[in-house]
Amino acid sequence: MAVNDLKAFFQSNPLMALFSDEELDECVKASEVVEFAAGVDIEKRGETHNSSWIVYDGEVGVSIPGEGVTEELLTKLEKGRIFGDMSVFTGNLVAFDFKTTQPSTLVRIPRPVFMGVVKKNPAATLQFTKNLTEIVFHLGLYQKEHEIREAAMLASPDPYDLYFTSASEPMKISVINCGSSSLKYTIFDTTQRDPLIEGTIERIGSADAHHKVVTPTSKKSVSLGAVPNMEKAFEFMVAAISDPAVGAVRDVREFKAVGHRVTHGGGLFNGPVIIDDQVLEQIRSVSDLAPLHNPYNIEGIELFRKLLPGAKQVAVFDNTFHQTIPPAAATYALPRRLCAEERIRRYGFHGTNHEYVALNAATFLKKPLSELKMITCHLGSGASVCAIDHGRSIDTSMGMTPLEGLVMGTRPGDVDPGVIFHLLRKGRSAEELENIFNKDSGLKGISGLTNDMRELLAAAENGDAHALNAISVFCYRIKKYIGAYTVALGGLDVVVFTGGIGENSPEIRARIFQGFEAFGMTIDHRINRDARPERGQVVDIAEPNAKVRVLLIPADEERMIARNTLHTVGLVRSEADIRVFKTTPIPLSISAHHIHLTQENFELLFGRGKAMTPKSPLSQPGQFAAEETVNLIGPKGNLEKVRILGPARKYSQLEISRTEQFKLGIDPPIRDSGDIEGTPGITVVGSQGQIHLEKGVICAKRHIHMSTDDALKFGLRDKDVVRVRKEGGRGLIFGDVLIRVDQNFRLDMHLDTDEGNAAEIKPGDTGYIESIEHRRYI
């Protein structure tokens, strides 16, 4: 097709007619005209596509699965219709199937080009919104959209982007992990499943350094001789990855992004972040919390910034996954002022791998992570257990430092602090104790032999009592944490084993699960003995009818760092986006305690055939405060005259503040509205009766309601998480703010009573989105 013909075709489209000549020329230059026969799948449910399509000639059917193997045809798209734009613009998985119904000619426009042009053109954005909503809403599918998207997620082989499905264009990403005497590096290509190359340089600073290099087709280990410092190690790394025989890269300047493992973020960061001078100084400011790690992480960052000044450097922290741990689990019972001054709290570690295996488990089980309660066990030389409730870490065994929790290779885990005072009084120095606790304790200390579990198992087999005791203590501590976290979660769906011991020791796994049969945790011992999962594989060792699934998932922190780096780089805001953030105020509202009721429950409380009586409208269209109120009866106390909000819901749900939960004597989790599985219940009293809700009491996560138009203007989507800055009065920043998008919503941020009072929120106050914390991929 001639260029002029394609440009004229674009100009005939109601959306693209709003583009300038320069923008049209940009689209024409990037476009590809493709011929398709009838019956060809263009986009499938559950996939992520990186292009928009325009029907030039022919016809494309839009369908969803019907009964059995049939499909329900929703509509047909003819000449001039754009599709694929929803997936392209929001990043959500494709929710419908698009297939040619006759021989057709389609025009493909790459995602970065189309999305960039639409977003910087306000008139085009408005028209785009209309196109976006037409398929979902005008086809009468609004109520089904959640189910459709969930089905699309379950149908996708990579719903959580662990294999870089979201990459808008091929990209090579370097992952770096610098230690005191080692440099680990991994190179990923987003078009390939396996790394291009992995390397480890060990014993840096000695005269006998070694370099291990692994590629998809080879493994080798060579002696480097003297490698006096990290800068020299970088030279060997660059030579290895640019070696023509390896074929990873021709030149290191091919890297568009570098992901750096950083051990400690000190509570300053809620997720990965692009590194600039300010971020680097913040990492440096918390180095005293990880003196054996952060300084060397910083050195690697500085060296790579010199090596590749044009590449985006991303810090991926080992503990930000645990930032969601509630105060009850994060707080040490020490003087509050001391904890604040010295930043003493539970931070947790291994977060990158805990999150990775959690996403992998959800993918394997074909269930949304937001519906699962799981315990992930990272068992290696360093070991930790994490309780994950609906995708959020709510507790983890490591604490302010990696010394707390489980018995590890050379670390003791939980120890009475009095032991330290006793040893200090006996003349041991702080430095000596630090060395004992970090290098001479744990499995090595108990056994007096080694920190290697394989050697301990062999020694125990030969009758070594100390080796057997070390193994028993190791397994008992894990059992204790699994039991405690099962209670903390209020139930359990999945246990995951990962790390060198967790993946590779069937005997340790079998010992851990002895005695758990009464809790629905039973493993198939034959499968457990034979399981040898390789990286990227998942093995379920639970008995088929077991209530709790038990999965083996090999660790792959490097892949998770690369994935998070890709997402962080993809969230770089344009100047136009930043202007929207900085100049669009968001009303701040306090959402007092309230209850939503089903019609059935309302009638049980107020009489058969009764309906809610609207008292006053709420900020969101169609919602109202009802005249009717209820009283609540908890284990400890009561709340009276709690307002019912209408209209009637599909489920009954009570939202209260932290202060009120203490008064009632219950401990509900922080949850998204509607996410009530595993939550506590409450007795509700109305004028004509009372009911007991078995579940449904939550502390609602702070959130922003916005329309689809608002979401497009901000460049956000449903379930994204942002930081919001309140200005004036008591200025502060709210983190972990959930975005909730609906075509009928009005822009408004909701805080509970405690949060509103603490921030001194008053009518008319506004906030501004400061940054995006997390991007919801599905």
Side-chain angles (χ1 to χ4, degrees), residues 213-286:
V213 179
V214 179
T215 71
T217 59
S218 67
K219 294 182 181 180
K220 65 178 181 180
S221 179
V222 297
S223 176
L224 299 178
V227 178
N229 51 40
M230 190 63 68
E231 191 166 1
K232 186 65 176 178
F234 262 56
E235 293 179 12
F236 284 110
M237 175 189 70
V238 170
I241 62 181
S242 57
D243 184 349
V246 173
V249 294
R250 291 187 299 274
D251 190 305
V252 292
R253 286 172 293 185
E254 292 180 33
F255 294 124
K256 295 186 177 180
V258 181
H260 295 269
R261 178 183 181 267
V262 179
T263 299
H264 219 304
L268 300 177
F269 306 95
N270 292 309
V273 61
I274 292 178
I275 299 168
D276 57 20
D277 291 341
Q278 180 182 356
V279 168
L280 195 57
E281 284 309 306
Q282 288 176 301
I283 296 172
R284 202 185 309 276
S285 73
V286 296

Coordinates of all heavy atoms in Angstrom, one line a residue, residues 213-286:
V213 N 31.0 -19.3 34.3 CA 30.2 -18.7 33.3 C 29.3 -19.8 32.7 O 29.7 -20.9 32.4 CB 31.0 -18.2 32.1 CG1 30.1 -17.6 31.0 CG2 32.0 -17.1 32.6
V214 N 28.0 -19.5 32.7 CA 27.0 -20.5 32.2 C 26.2 -19.9 31.1 O 25.7 -18.7 31.2 CB 26.0 -20.9 33.3 CG1 25.0 -21.9 32.8 CG2 26.8 -21.6 34.5
T215 N 26.1 -20.6 29.9 CA 25.3 -20.1 28.8 C 24.3 -21.3 28.5 O 24.4 -22.4 29.1 CB 26.1 -19.9 27.6 OG1 26.6 -21.1 27.0 CG2 27.3 -18.9 27.9
P216 N 23.3 -21.1 27.6 CA 22.4 -22.2 27.3 C 23.1 -23.4 26.8 O 22.5 -24.5 26.9 CB 21.5 -21.5 26.3 CG 21.5 -20.1 26.6 CD 22.9 -19.8 27.0
T217 N 24.3 -23.3 26.3 CA 24.9 -24.5 25.7 C 26.3 -24.9 26.4 O 26.9 -25.9 26.0 CB 25.2 -24.2 24.2 OG1 26.1 -23.0 24.1 CG2 23.9 -24.0 23.5
S218 N 26.7 -24.1 27.4 CA 28.0 -24.5 28.0 C 28.1 -24.0 29.4 O 27.4 -23.1 29.9 CB 29.1 -23.8 27.2 OG 29.1 -22.4 27.3
K219 N 29.1 -24.6 30.1 CA 29.4 -24.2 31.5 C 31.0 -24.3 31.6 O 31.6 -25.2 31.1 CB 28.9 -25.2 32.5 CG 27.4 -25.2 32.7 CD 26.9 -26.1 33.8 CE 25.4 -26.1 33.9 NZ 25.0 -27.1 35.0
K220 N 31.5 -23.3 32.2 CA 33.0 -23.3 32.4 C 33.4 -22.5 33.6 O 32.6 -21.6 34.1 CB 33.7 -22.8 31.2 CG 33.5 -21.3 30.9 CD 34.3 -20.8 29.7 CE 34.1 -19.3 29.4 NZ 34.9 -18.9 28.3
S221 N 34.5 -22.9 34.2 CA 35.0 -22.2 35.4 C 36.5 -22.0 35.2 O 37.2 -23.0 34.9 CB 34.8 -23.0 36.7 OG 35.3 -22.4 37.8
V222 N 36.9 -20.8 35.3 CA 38.3 -20.5 35.0 C 38.9 -19.7 36.2 O 38.3 -19.0 36.9 CB 38.5 -19.6 33.7 CG1 38.0 -20.4 32.5 CG2 37.8 -18.3 33.8
S223 N 40.2 -19.9 36.4 CA 41.0 -19.1 37.4 C 41.4 -17.8 36.8 O 42.0 -17.7 35.7 CB 42.2 -19.9 37.9 OG 42.9 -19.1 38.8
L224 N 41.1 -16.7 37.5 CA 41.5 -15.4 37.0 C 42.8 -14.8 37.6 O 43.3 -13.8 37.2 CB 40.4 -14.4 37.3 CG 39.0 -14.7 36.7 CD1 38.0 -13.6 37.1 CD2 39.1 -14.7 35.2
G225 N 43.3 -15.5 38.6 CA 44.5 -15.0 39.3 C 44.1 -13.9 40.2 O 43.0 -13.9 40.8
A226 N 44.9 -12.8 40.2 CA 44.6 -11.7 41.1 C 43.5 -10.8 40.5 O 43.6 -10.3 39.3 CB 45.9 -10.9 41.3
V227 N 42.4 -10.5 41.2 CA 41.4 -9.6 40.9 C 41.3 -8.6 42.1 O 40.6 -8.9 43.1 CB 40.1 -10.2 40.6 CG1 39.0 -9.2 40.3 CG2 40.2 -11.2 39.4
P228 N 42.0 -7.5 42.1 CA 42.2 -6.7 43.3 C 41.0 -6.0 43.8 O 40.8 -5.7 45.0 CB 43.3 -5.8 43.0 CG 43.2 -5.6 41.5 CD 42.8 -7.0 41.0
N229 N 40.0 -5.7 42.9 CA 38.9 -4.9 43.2 C 37.7 -5.1 42.3 O 37.8 -5.9 41.3 CB 39.3 -3.4 43.3 CG 39.9 -3.0 42.0 OD1 39.5 -3.4 40.9 ND2 41.0 -2.1 42.1
M230 N 36.6 -4.5 42.6 CA 35.4 -4.7 41.8 C 35.5 -4.1 40.4 O 34.9 -4.6 39.5 CB 34.2 -4.0 42.6 CG 32.8 -4.4 42.0 SD 32.4 -6.2 42.1 CE 32.2 -6.4 43.8
E231 N 36.2 -3.0 40.3 CA 36.4 -2.4 39.0 C 37.1 -3.4 38.0 O 36.7 -3.5 36.9 CB 37.2 -1.1 39.1 CG 37.2 -0.3 37.9 CD 37.8 1.1 38.1 OE1 38.2 1.4 39.3 OE2 37.8 1.9 37.1
K232 N 38.1 -4.1 38.5 CA 38.8 -5.1 37.7 C 37.8 -6.3 37.4 O 37.8 -6.8 36.3 CB 40.0 -5.7 38.4 CG 40.9 -6.6 37.6 CD 41.5 -5.9 36.4 CE 42.4 -6.8 35.6 NZ 42.9 -6.1 34.4
A233 N 37.0 -6.7 38.4 CA 36.0 -7.7 38.1 C 35.0 -7.3 37.0 O 34.6 -8.1 36.2 CB 35.2 -8.0 39.4
F234 N 34.7 -6.0 37.0 CA 33.8 -5.5 35.9 C 34.4 -5.7 34.5 O 33.7 -6.0 33.6 CB 33.4 -4.1 36.2 CG 32.1 -3.9 36.8 CD1 31.8 -4.5 38.1 CD2 31.1 -3.1 36.3 CE1 30.6 -4.3 38.7 CE2 29.9 -2.9 36.9 CZ 29.6 -3.5 38.1
E235 N 35.7 -5.5 34.5 CA 36.4 -5.7 33.2 C 36.2 -7.2 32.7 O 36.0 -7.4 31.5 CB 37.9 -5.3 33.3 CG 38.1 -3.9 33.5 CD 39.6 -3.5 33.7 OE1 40.4 -4.4 33.4 OE2 39.9 -2.4 34.1
F236 N 36.4 -8.1 33.6 CA 36.2 -9.5 33.2 C 34.8 -9.8 32.8 O 34.5 -10.6 31.9 CB 36.7 -10.4 34.4 CG 38.2 -10.5 34.5 CD1 38.8 -10.0 35.6 CD2 38.9 -11.2 33.6 CE1 40.2 -10.1 35.8 CE2 40.3 -11.4 33.8 CZ 40.9 -10.8 34.8
M237 N 33.8 -9.2 33.6 CA 32.4 -9.4 33.2 C 32.1 -8.9 31.8 O 31.5 -9.6 31.0 CB 31.6 -8.7 34.2 CG 30.1 -8.8 33.9 SD 29.1 -7.7 35.0 CE 29.6 -6.1 34.4
V238 N 32.6 -7.7 31.5 CA 32.3 -7.1 30.2 C 32.9 -7.9 29.1 O 32.3 -8.2 28.0 CB 32.9 -5.6 30.2 CG1 32.8 -5.1 28.7 CG2 32.1 -4.7 31.1
A239 N 34.1 -8.4 29.3 CA 34.8 -9.3 28.3 C 34.0 -10.6 28.1 O 33.8 -11.0 27.0 CB 36.2 -9.6 28.8
A240 N 33.4 -11.1 29.2 CA 32.6 -12.4 29.0 C 31.3 -12.2 28.3 O 31.0 -12.9 27.4 CB 32.4 -13.0 30.4
I241 N 30.6 -11.1 28.6 CA 29.3 -11.0 28.0 C 29.4 -10.5 26.6 O 28.4 -10.6 25.8 CB 28.4 -10.0 28.9 CG1 29.0 -8.6 29.0 CG2 28.1 -10.6 30.2 CD1 28.1 -7.7 29.8
S242 N 30.5 -9.8 26.2 CA 30.7 -9.4 24.8 C 31.5 -10.3 24.0 O 31.9 -10.0 22.8 CB 31.3 -8.0 24.8 OG 32.5 -7.9 25.5
D243 N 31.9 -11.5 24.5 CA 32.6 -12.5 23.8 C 31.8 -13.0 22.6 O 30.7 -13.4 22.8 CB 32.9 -13.6 24.7 CG 33.8 -14.7 24.1 OD1 34.1 -14.6 22.9 OD2 34.3 -15.6 24.8
P244 N 32.4 -12.8 21.4 CA 31.6 -13.3 20.2 C 31.2 -14.8 20.3 O 30.2 -15.2 19.7 CB 32.6 -13.0 19.0 CG 33.5 -12.0 19.6 CD 33.6 -12.2 21.0
A245 N 32.0 -15.6 21.0 CA 31.7 -17.0 21.1 C 30.4 -17.2 21.9 O 29.7 -18.2 21.7 CB 32.9 -17.7 21.7
V246 N 30.2 -16.3 22.8 CA 28.9 -16.4 23.6 C 27.7 -15.8 22.9 O 26.7 -16.4 22.9 CB 29.1 -15.7 25.0 CG1 27.8 -15.6 25.8 CG2 30.2 -16.3 25.8
G247 N 27.9 -14.7 22.2 CA 26.9 -14.1 21.4 C 25.8 -13.4 22.2 O 24.7 -13.2 21.7
A248 N 26.1 -13.1 23.5 CA 25.1 -12.4 24.3 C 24.8 -11.0 23.8 O 23.7 -10.6 23.5 CB 25.5 -12.4 25.8
V249 N 25.9 -10.2 23.7 CA 25.8 -8.9 23.1 C 27.1 -8.6 22.4 O 28.1 -9.1 22.7 CB 25.6 -7.8 24.2 CG1 24.3 -7.9 24.9 CG2 26.7 -7.8 25.2
R250 N 27.0 -7.7 21.3 CA 28.2 -7.3 20.6 C 28.9 -6.2 21.4 O 30.1 -6.1 21.4 CB 27.8 -6.8 19.2 CG 27.3 -7.9 18.3 CD 27.2 -7.4 16.9 NE 26.2 -6.4 16.8 CZ 24.8 -6.6 16.7 NH1 24.4 -7.8 16.6 NH2 24.0 -5.6 16.6
D251 N 28.0 -5.4 22.1 CA 28.6 -4.2 22.8 C 27.7 -4.0 24.0 O 26.4 -4.1 23.9 CB 28.5 -3.0 21.9 CG 29.3 -1.8 22.5 OD1 29.0 -1.4 23.6 OD2 30.2 -1.3 21.8
V252 N 28.3 -3.7 25.2 CA 27.5 -3.6 26.4 C 26.5 -2.4 26.3 O 25.5 -2.3 27.0 CB 28.4 -3.4 27.6 CG1 29.1 -4.7 27.9 CG2 29.3 -2.2 27.5
R253 N 26.7 -1.5 25.3 CA 25.8 -0.4 25.1 C 24.5 -0.8 24.6 O 23.5 0.0 24.5 CB 26.5 0.7 24.2 CG 27.6 1.5 24.9 CD 28.3 2.4 24.0 NE 29.1 1.6 23.0 CZ 29.9 2.2 22.1 NH1 30.1 3.5 22.0 NH2 30.6 1.4 21.2
E254 N 24.3 -2.1 24.2 CA 23.0 -2.6 23.8 C 22.1 -2.6 25.0 O 20.8 -2.7 24.8 CB 23.2 -4.0 23.2 CG 23.9 -4.1 21.9 CD 24.0 -5.5 21.4 OE1 23.1 -6.3 21.6 OE2 25.1 -5.8 20.8
F255 N 22.6 -2.7 26.2 CA 21.7 -2.7 27.4 C 20.9 -1.4 27.5 O 21.4 -0.3 27.5 CB 22.4 -2.9 28.7 CG 23.1 -4.3 28.8 CD1 24.5 -4.4 29.0 CD2 22.4 -5.4 28.6 CE1 25.1 -5.6 29.1 CE2 23.0 -6.7 28.6 CZ 24.4 -6.7 28.9
K256 N 19.5 -1.6 27.6 CA 18.7 -0.4 27.8 C 18.4 -0.2 29.3 O 17.9 0.8 29.7 CB 17.4 -0.5 27.0 CG 17.6 -0.5 25.5 CD 16.3 -0.5 24.7 CE 16.5 -0.4 23.2 NZ 15.3 -0.4 22.5
A257 N 18.6 -1.3 30.1 CA 18.3 -1.2 31.5 C 19.2 -2.2 32.2 O 19.5 -3.2 31.8 CB 16.8 -1.5 31.7
V258 N 19.5 -1.8 33.5 CA 20.3 -2.6 34.4 C 19.6 -2.7 35.7 O 19.2 -1.6 36.3 CB 21.7 -2.0 34.6 CG1 22.5 -2.9 35.5 CG2 22.4 -1.8 33.3
G259 N 19.3 -3.9 36.2 CA 18.7 -4.1 37.4 C 19.7 -4.5 38.5 O 20.4 -5.4 38.3
H260 N 19.7 -3.7 39.6 CA 20.7 -3.9 40.7 C 20.0 -4.5 41.9 O 19.0 -3.9 42.4 CB 21.4 -2.6 41.1 CG 22.2 -2.0 40.0 ND1 23.6 -2.3 39.9 CD2 21.9 -1.2 39.0 CE1 24.1 -1.7 38.8 NE2 23.1 -0.9 38.3
R261 N 20.4 -5.6 42.4 CA 19.9 -6.1 43.7 C 20.5 -5.2 44.8 O 21.7 -5.1 44.9 CB 20.3 -7.6 43.9 CG 19.9 -8.1 45.3 CD 20.3 -9.5 45.5 NE 19.9 -10.1 46.8 CZ 20.6 -10.0 47.9 NH1 21.8 -9.5 47.9 NH2 20.1 -10.5 49.0
V262 N 19.6 -4.7 45.6 CA 20.0 -3.9 46.7 C 19.4 -4.5 47.9 O 18.2 -4.7 48.0 CB 19.6 -2.4 46.6 CG1 20.0 -1.6 47.8 CG2 20.2 -1.8 45.3
T263 N 20.2 -4.8 48.9 CA 19.7 -5.6 50.1 C 18.7 -4.8 50.9 O 17.6 -5.3 51.2 CB 20.9 -6.0 51.0 OG1 21.8 -6.8 50.2 CG2 20.4 -6.8 52.2
H264 N 19.0 -3.6 51.3 CA 18.2 -2.9 52.2 C 17.7 -1.5 51.7 O 18.5 -0.7 51.3 CB 19.0 -2.7 53.5 CG 18.1 -2.8 54.8 ND1 17.0 -2.1 55.0 CD2 18.3 -3.7 55.9 CE1 16.5 -2.5 56.2 NE2 17.3 -3.4 56.7
G265 N 16.4 -1.3 51.8 CA 15.8 0.0 51.4 C 15.5 0.8 52.6 O 15.0 2.0 52.5
G266 N 15.6 0.2 53.8 CA 15.4 0.9 55.0 C 14.0 1.5 55.2 O 13.8 2.5 55.9
G267 N 13.0 1.0 54.5 CA 11.6 1.5 54.6 C 11.4 2.8 53.8 O 10.3 3.3 53.9
L268 N 12.4 3.2 53.0 CA 12.3 4.4 52.2 C 11.6 4.2 50.9 O 11.1 5.1 50.3 CB 13.6 5.0 52.0 CG 14.4 5.4 53.2 CD1 15.8 6.0 52.8 CD2 13.7 6.5 54.0
F269 N 11.5 2.9 50.5 CA 11.0 2.6 49.2 C 10.0 1.5 49.3 O 10.1 0.6 50.1 CB 12.2 2.1 48.2 CG 13.3 3.0 48.2 CD1 14.4 2.9 49.0 CD2 13.3 4.1 47.3 CE1 15.5 3.7 48.9 CE2 14.4 5.0 47.2 CZ 15.5 4.8 48.0
N270 N 8.9 1.6 48.5 CA 7.9 0.6 48.5 C 7.9 -0.3 47.2 O 7.0 -1.1 47.0 CB 6.5 1.3 48.5 CG 6.3 2.0 49.9 OD1 6.4 1.3 50.9 ND2 5.9 3.2 49.8
G271 N 9.0 -0.2 46.4 CA 9.1 -1.0 45.2 C 10.4 -0.6 44.5 O 11.1 0.3 45.0
P272 N 10.6 -1.2 43.4 CA 11.8 -0.9 42.6 C 11.7 0.6 42.1 O 10.7 1.1 42.0 CB 11.7 -1.8 41.4 CG 10.8 -2.9 41.8 CD 9.8 -2.3 42.8
V273 N 12.9 1.2 41.9 CA 12.9 2.6 41.6 C 14.1 2.8 40.6 O 15.2 2.2 40.7 CB 13.1 3.4 42.9 CG1 14.4 3.1 43.6 CG2 13.0 4.9 42.6
I274 N 13.9 3.8 39.7 CA 15.0 4.2 38.8 C 16.0 5.0 39.6 O 15.6 5.9 40.4 CB 14.4 5.0 37.6 CG1 13.6 4.1 36.7 CG2 15.6 5.6 36.9 CD1 13.0 4.8 35.6
I275 N 17.2 4.7 39.5 CA 18.3 5.3 40.3 C 18.7 6.6 39.7 O 19.1 6.7 38.6 CB 19.5 4.4 40.4 CG1 19.1 3.0 41.0 CG2 20.6 5.0 41.2 CD1 20.2 1.9 40.9
D276 N 18.7 7.7 40.6 CA 19.3 8.9 40.3 C 20.1 9.3 41.5 O 20.3 8.5 42.4 CB 18.2 10.0 40.0 CG 17.2 10.2 41.1 OD1 17.5 9.8 42.3 OD2 16.1 10.7 40.8
D277 N 20.7 10.5 41.5 CA 21.6 10.9 42.6 C 20.9 10.9 43.9 O 21.4 10.4 44.9 CB 22.2 12.3 42.3 CG 23.2 12.3 41.1 OD1 23.7 11.2 40.8 OD2 23.4 13.3 40.6
Q278 N 19.6 11.3 43.9 CA 18.9 11.3 45.2 C 18.6 9.9 45.7 O 18.8 9.7 46.9 CB 17.5 12.1 45.0 CG 16.7 12.1 46.3 CD 15.4 12.8 46.1 OE1 15.1 13.3 45.0 NE2 14.5 12.9 47.1
V279 N 18.2 9.0 44.8 CA 18.0 7.6 45.3 C 19.3 7.0 45.8 O 19.3 6.3 46.8 CB 17.4 6.8 44.1 CG1 17.4 5.3 44.4 CG2 16.0 7.3 43.8
L280 N 20.3 7.3 45.1 CA 21.6 6.7 45.5 C 22.0 7.2 46.9 O 22.5 6.4 47.8 CB 22.7 7.1 44.5 CG 24.0 6.3 44.6 CD1 23.8 4.8 44.5 CD2 25.0 6.8 43.6
E281 N 21.7 8.4 47.2 CA 22.0 9.0 48.5 C 21.1 8.4 49.6 O 21.5 8.1 50.7 CB 21.9 10.5 48.6 CG 23.1 11.2 47.9 CD 24.4 10.7 48.5 OE1 24.6 10.8 49.7 OE2 25.3 10.3 47.7
Q282 N 19.9 8.1 49.2 CA 18.9 7.5 50.2 C 19.4 6.1 50.5 O 19.3 5.6 51.6 CB 17.5 7.5 49.6 CG 16.8 8.8 49.5 CD 15.5 8.8 48.9 OE1 15.4 8.4 47.7 NE2 14.5 9.1 49.6
I283 N 19.9 5.3 49.5 CA 20.4 4.0 49.7 C 21.6 4.0 50.6 O 21.8 3.2 51.6 CB 20.7 3.3 48.4 CG1 19.5 3.1 47.5 CG2 21.4 1.9 48.7 CD1 19.7 2.6 46.1
R284 N 22.4 5.0 50.4 CA 23.6 5.2 51.2 C 23.3 5.5 52.6 O 23.9 5.1 53.6 CB 24.5 6.3 50.6 CG 26.0 6.2 51.0 CD 26.8 7.4 50.5 NE 26.6 7.7 49.0 CZ 27.2 7.1 48.1 NH1 28.1 6.2 48.4 NH2 27.0 7.3 46.8
S285 N 22.2 6.3 52.8 CA 21.8 6.7 54.2 C 21.3 5.6 55.1 O 21.3 5.7 56.3 CB 20.7 7.8 54.1 OG 19.4 7.2 53.7
V286 N 20.9 4.4 54.5 CA 20.5 3.3 55.3 C 21.5 2.2 55.3 O 21.2 1.0 55.7 CB 19.1 2.8 54.8 CG1 18.1 3.9 55.0 CG2 19.1 2.3 53.4

